[in-house]
Amino acid sequence: MSIDVSIRLGTGDAAIAAEYTRVREQLPQALRAVQVLAEQGLPHFKLPSQTGDLADIAALAGGLTDGAKDLVILGIGGSSLGAKALCQLAGWGTPAQPSLKDRPHLHFVENLDGRSLAGLLSGLDPAATKVLAVSKSGSTTETLAQLLIVAAWASARGADLARHCAVIAEPGNNALRQWAQMTGCPVMDHDPALGGRYSVLSCVGLVPSAVAGLDIRAIRHGAAQALAPLLALDEGSSWAQGAALNMAAMACGRSQSVLWAYADRLEKLTLWWRQLWGESLGKQGKGSTPINALGPVDQHSQLQLYLDGPNDKLITIITTQDGDDLAVPADAAGRIGQSLLGGRTVAEIVNAQARATAEALVRAGRTVRVIHVPRLGEQAMGALMMHFILETLVTAQLLGVDPFDQ
Amino acid sequence: MSIDVSIRLGTGDAAIAAEYTRVREQLPQALRAVQVLAEQGLPHFKLPSQTGDLADIAALAGGLTDGAKDLVILGIGGSSLGAKALCQLAGWGTPAQPSLKDRPHLHFVENLDGRSLAGLLSGLDPAATKVLAVSKSGSTTETLAQLLIVAAWASARGADLARHCAVIAEPGNNALRQWAQMTGCPVMDHDPALGGRYSVLSCVGLVPSAVAGLDIRAIRHGAAQALAPLLALDEGSSWAQGAALNMAAMACGRSQSVLWAYADRLEKLTLWWRQLWGESLGKQGKGSTPINALGPVDQHSQLQLYLDGPNDKLITIITTQDGDDLAVPADAAGRIGQSLLGGRTVAEIVNAQARATAEALVRAGRTVRVIHVPRLGEQAMGALMMHFILETLVTAQLLGVDPFDQ
């Protein structure tokens, strides 16, 4: 698995091109600063190569899978966006979801809404429902409110909370851990040094991934591959170049950064990235607004604006060849005057659209980057996530903001 | 049902306030221009009070419901975003979805992705699956490719396409109508004068809504209420003021307009609006970028950026009192040190968060508008949609762009 990156600067973007060249000169210093963070032993950099915790993660996931028709995951923002992004690789949250019948149905409640929560509970069998509550601080209002309501619902229907629930929170005397002690349910530690938006490679992202049937070791492995260039201070790495391009775009008035993925399985990745980028860089009046998009569907919703509206965006398109070889039936296509579509696979059509969109944007003078992922498996997801984490950290160095605070 | 709108200008926004006052002077002329469009008989303005087509819409929906465990809806952008927004009012696309067992499961495939489509089909029973394909032009690549694949899947498994499928397309010799003729399935007309992003109040939005069990007459009625001020050229209407505020914000460098709804049932409304706003105004280098957000969940993902990043956004928050009266159990809350949460309903907590978010944004000098919807039923959805359509059309007049072309 590799990430091929091509950075296309639209015609008329001489200003960005010049700025990009200038910023690249600052890269060695920024990379060195991130390397120092790594040397300080921050978990952000240790997690990719960590394997000692995988058995415990798999065991907790096994307990949540055993006898479960449904798994309700409570957790908001950093406690759920990464897990959703990973589970989508297994088809969760895509139209393919109805076919996922051999695993518990995952319900990421996340947003607090009484009508939704009541509706969800009315459709579940408490005897076959398990619950995972995740909050770093152990005191997140939304998650606690949801957990107390769901637990009361389950208890009233005879479920044993110790067997049906599990909790992830940092150590200490916080509300979530008190609740776990009260009910006797299993607890896993959230690393106190790991902010929610960086927690995807820890148990926060990997327990749900294991329930969804993903290879969690491969996710870590992909992340380690994307991290490797940091040790070599490689300015040519895709994420170092990406940071320089983002800096150049911001300096030239591109106030928005669009991540446009051409695969349903990457839709939640763009939402995970949206928090990572926004919360890490949006401070002291600095940063750019992260915007998620999905292709080809957003060609029919956003492309008009991106092509002909204000030229204020850096647009990153992610493509993959890894589709299904579903082909459009040639006979029927011919009979309705669509012989150009006939016999082509959906992956071919989508890739042609992604390329055409990138070309059209460049022709319109917009700044475009294309990230290509040949095969979209666990290793690629780990690599993509680490790519964006590192791109964010290097950009923070160049911007002069602290990417870890809030 | 009414929409209460309060426009809050953050401290330090003297420039926007002055510009807002200036733009309001141009409102009478802009309203008159939109009124002229209405007098020309455009379907955009006739639909709210139209009732003659409701029986046919209900009949088509009845046929798609009859014997169906699943309804696959093919259509992209304007052919699906409005329908999704309406169906979400009935719980579709929220965590409450598993409880919706007495109606066909709705699958809006929308995005073209072979892996997703293959996964979806493998989970469906062809004998109990119906299909609705929607394309104004009748020649949308994504929709045709999906339809040909789904039809081949259904036919190969013995389904009679004439009974299992239906089509919405404009009259003429287009591919979708040719396909309908070939298979003998029912067809409904897409009004040729109605662009996709304005089609929600036509059969495009209302057939899926009727399948979801919504009162389609009430949706139209709410829209008619929101439209009424146009006849009176009422500059005080919520959408006229909204257009002026958006113009003032754009003139003062607010390049982004955020629609932040505090209810799961409004999440897809924000995506529908995103197309409406972006495609109608994003041309000739003009327009602002529409950004969707959901509360309270995006407090944990986007709020940091909105509060402390660049001050380049107009933020519209939609609140509703209409939740479920699920309350947090007081006993258990007290035992984990959360007595402040105990006994409070989820709706109370969410409303307190929405108010606190608006306050915090205003204190940080950001420009905030609050739209309050007391009861979130069909009538309110119709009114909200017409509100945003009219706000877009008036803004287009003020900006000097054609809101109907692409």
Side-chain angles (χ1 to χ4, degrees):
Chain A
M1 132 71 219
S2 71
I3 303 183
D4 303 334
V5 177
S6 81
I7 294 181
R8 300 284 305 273
L9 296 175
T11 48
D13 265 352
I16 291 191
E19 185 66 22
Y20 179 57
T21 307
R22 206 186 62 76
V23 178
R24 285 176 61 120
E25 289 165 20
Q26 303 169 9
L27 273 182
Q29 203 184 337
L31 286 179
R32 177 65 194 132
V34 176
Q35 202 188 42
V36 166
L37 291 171
E39 286 163 2
Q40 288 167 353
L42 280 183
H44 310 63
F45 304 95
K46 284 193 299 185
L47 277 169
S49 57
Q50 198 166 302
T51 53
D53 57 345
L54 293 177
D56 284 349
I57 288 172
L60 188 66
L64 290 170
T65 304
D66 183 37
K69 246 184 71 200
D70 297 274
L71 172 61
V72 175
I73 299 176
L74 307 173
I76 194 163
S79 294
S80 96
L81 287 168
K84 286 164 87 166
L86 286 172
C87 292
Q88 195 163 51
L89 184 63
W92 173 85
T94 75
Q97 191 160 339
S99 66
L100 308 174
K101 284 176 179 155
D102 56 334
R103 294 264 162 194
H105 280 83
L106 301 177
H107 306 275
F108 289 93
V109 177
E110 196 175 30
N111 197 38
L112 184 63
D113 182 312
R115 188 71 78 99
S116 291
L117 188 55
L120 171 64
L121 295 179
S122 77
L124 298 181
D125 169 9
T129 298
K130 304 239 170 162
V131 179
L132 173 65
V134 185
S135 161
K136 176 177 186 292
S137 67
S139 64
T140 308
T141 302
E142 292 87 347
T143 307
L144 291 174
Q146 288 165 340
L147 178 61
L148 293 174
I149 289 169
V150 173
W153 166 84
S155 291
R157 284 155 187 83
D160 173 6
L161 298 182
R163 281 196 331 104
H164 282 262
C165 303
V167 155
I168 297 177
E170 64 186 12
N173 187 31
N174 59 58
L176 205 48
R177 290 190 90 104
Q178 286 175 36
W179 188 87
Q181 206 162 19
M182 203 169 88
T183 57
C185 78
V187 184
M188 193 163 268
D189 284 346
H190 193 305
D191 190 326
L194 194 63
R197 63 185 179 269
Y198 296 101
S199 68
V200 62
L201 298 170
S202 77
C203 56
V204 174
L206 297 189
V207 169
S209 297
V211 174
L214 294 174
D215 179 348
I216 58 178
R217 190 175 294 267
I219 296 169
R220 287 249 175 102
H221 187 60
Q225 284 181 305
L227 181 62
L230 182 64
L231 303 175
L233 292 178
D234 179 3
E235 300 157 41
S237 74
S238 57
W239 41 267
Q241 289 180 70
L245 182 62
N246 270 286
M247 283 301 294
M250 282 187 256
C252 296
R254 306 301 193 268
S255 57
Q256 299 145 54
S257 188
V258 177
L259 189 58
W260 193 343
Y262 272 73
D264 280 346
R265 285 170 294 157
L266 294 176
E267 181 217 358
K268 303 293 180 197
L269 178 83
T270 65
L271 289 170
W272 166 81
W273 165 81
R274 195 168 161 241
Q275 180 196 27
L276 176 71
W277 188 261
E279 274 194 356
S280 300
L281 306 178
K283 38 197 84 168
Q284 303 169 31
K286 299 178 182 177
S288 62
T289 300
I291 294 176
N292 57 300
L294 182 66
V297 66
D298 275 322
Q299 293 172 198
H300 294 260
S301 167
Q302 300 307 301
L303 186 55
Q304 156 75 36
L305 171 71
Y306 296 175
L307 276 175
D308 195 29
N311 191 352
D312 54 8
K313 296 170 183 66
L314 166 65
I315 297 168
T316 299
I317 289 176
I318 310 184
T319 60
T320 175
Q321 271 151 350
D322 191 5
D324 187 278
D325 54 2
L326 268 190
V328 178
D331 275 15
R335 288 173 65 193
I336 59 170
Q338 302 289 314
S339 41
L340 276 176
L341 280 181
R344 296 185 69 188
T345 67
V346 171
E348 279 171 352
I349 298 170
V350 171
N351 269 303
Q353 291 190 321
R355 280 195 303 273
T357 299
E359 285 304 324
L361 286 164
V362 168
R363 269 199 312 274
R366 316 286 148 150
T367 309
V368 179
R369 168 174 63 155
V370 177
I371 295 182
H372 185 67
V373 183
R375 207 188 81 73
L376 193 53
E378 287 91 337
Q379 212 172 316
M381 281 299 280
L384 276 171
M385 288 174 150
M386 202 66 207
H387 165 99
F388 286 114
I389 288 174
L390 289 164
E391 183 165 299
T392 303
L393 296 180
V394 176
T395 305
Q397 289 298 330
L398 294 166
L399 264 184
V401 298
D402 178 354
F404 302 119
D405 72 355
Q406 243 187 76
Chain B
M1 134 67 219
S2 70
I3 304 183
D4 303 335
V5 177
S6 81
I7 294 181
R8 301 283 306 271
L9 296 175
T11 49
D13 265 352
I16 290 190
E19 184 67 21
Y20 179 56
T21 306
R22 205 185 63 74
V23 178
R24 284 177 60 120
E25 289 165 20
Q26 304 170 8
L27 273 182
Q29 204 184 337
L31 286 179
R32 178 65 194 132
V34 176
Q35 203 188 40
V36 166
L37 291 171
E39 286 163 4
Q40 290 168 352
L42 281 184
H44 310 64
F45 305 94
K46 285 193 299 185
L47 277 170
S49 57
Q50 197 165 303
T51 54
D53 56 345
L54 293 178
D56 284 350
I57 288 172
L60 188 65
L64 291 170
T65 304
D66 183 37
K69 247 185 71 199
D70 296 275
L71 172 60
V72 175
I73 299 176
L74 307 174
I76 195 164
S79 294
S80 97
L81 286 168
K84 286 165 87 166
L86 286 171
C87 292
Q88 195 164 51
L89 185 63
W92 173 85
T94 74
Q97 192 160 339
S99 65
L100 306 175
K101 285 177 179 156
D102 55 335
R103 295 262 162 195
H105 280 83
L106 302 176
H107 306 275
F108 290 93
V109 176
E110 197 176 28
N111 197 38
L112 184 63
D113 182 312
R115 187 71 78 99
S116 291
L117 187 55
L120 171 64
L121 295 179
S122 77
L124 298 181
D125 169 9
T129 298
K130 305 241 170 158
V131 180
L132 173 65
V134 185
S135 161
K136 176 177 185 293
S137 67
S139 65
T140 309
T141 303
E142 293 87 346
T143 306
L144 291 175
Q146 289 166 339
L147 178 62
L148 293 173
I149 289 168
V150 172
W153 166 85
S155 292
R157 286 155 187 82
D160 173 8
L161 298 182
R163 282 196 333 105
H164 283 261
C165 303
V167 155
I168 296 176
E170 64 186 12
N173 187 31
N174 58 58
L176 204 48
R177 290 190 90 105
Q178 286 175 35
W179 188 87
Q181 205 162 18
M182 202 170 89
T183 57
C185 78
V187 183
M188 192 164 268
D189 283 348
H190 193 304
D191 191 326
L194 195 63
R197 61 186 182 270
Y198 297 100
S199 68
V200 63
L201 297 171
S202 76
C203 57
V204 175
L206 297 189
V207 169
S209 298
V211 174
L214 294 173
D215 179 348
I216 58 178
R217 190 175 293 267
I219 295 169
R220 287 250 175 101
H221 187 59
Q225 284 181 305
L227 180 62
L230 182 64
L231 303 176
L233 293 178
D234 179 2
E235 300 157 41
S237 74
S238 56
W239 42 266
Q241 289 180 68
L245 183 63
N246 269 287
M247 284 300 294
M250 282 186 258
C252 297
R254 306 300 191 270
S255 56
Q256 299 146 53
S257 188
V258 177
L259 188 59
W260 192 343
Y262 271 74
D264 280 348
R265 283 169 294 156
L266 294 175
E267 182 217 356
K268 302 293 181 198
L269 177 83
T270 65
L271 289 170
W272 165 81
W273 164 82
R274 194 169 162 242
Q275 181 195 26
L276 176 70
W277 189 262
E279 273 193 357
S280 301
L281 306 178
K283 39 197 83 168
Q284 303 169 28
K286 298 178 183 178
S288 61
T289 301
I291 295 176
N292 59 300
L294 182 66
V297 66
D298 275 323
Q299 294 172 200
H300 295 260
S301 167
Q302 301 306 302
L303 186 56
Q304 156 76 36
L305 170 72
Y306 295 176
L307 278 174
D308 195 29
N311 191 352
D312 54 7
K313 297 171 182 69
L314 165 64
I315 298 168
T316 300
I317 289 176
I318 310 184
T319 60
T320 175
Q321 271 149 352
D322 192 5
D324 187 277
D325 53 2
L326 267 191
V328 179
D331 275 17
R335 288 172 67 192
I336 58 169
Q338 302 289 315
S339 39
L340 277 175
L341 281 181
R344 297 185 68 188
T345 67
V346 170
E348 279 171 353
I349 298 170
V350 171
N351 268 301
Q353 291 190 321
R355 280 195 304 273
T357 299
E359 286 303 325
L361 287 163
V362 168
R363 269 200 311 275
R366 316 286 149 149
T367 308
V368 179
R369 168 173 63 155
V370 176
I371 295 182
H372 185 67
V373 184
R375 208 188 81 73
L376 193 53
E378 286 91 338
Q379 214 172 313
M381 281 299 281
L384 276 171
M385 288 174 149
M386 203 66 208
H387 165 99
F388 287 114
I389 288 174
L390 289 164
E391 184 166 298
T392 303
L393 296 179
V394 176
T395 304
Q397 288 300 329
L398 294 165
L399 264 184
V401 298
D402 178 353
F404 302 119
D405 71 354
Q406 244 186 77

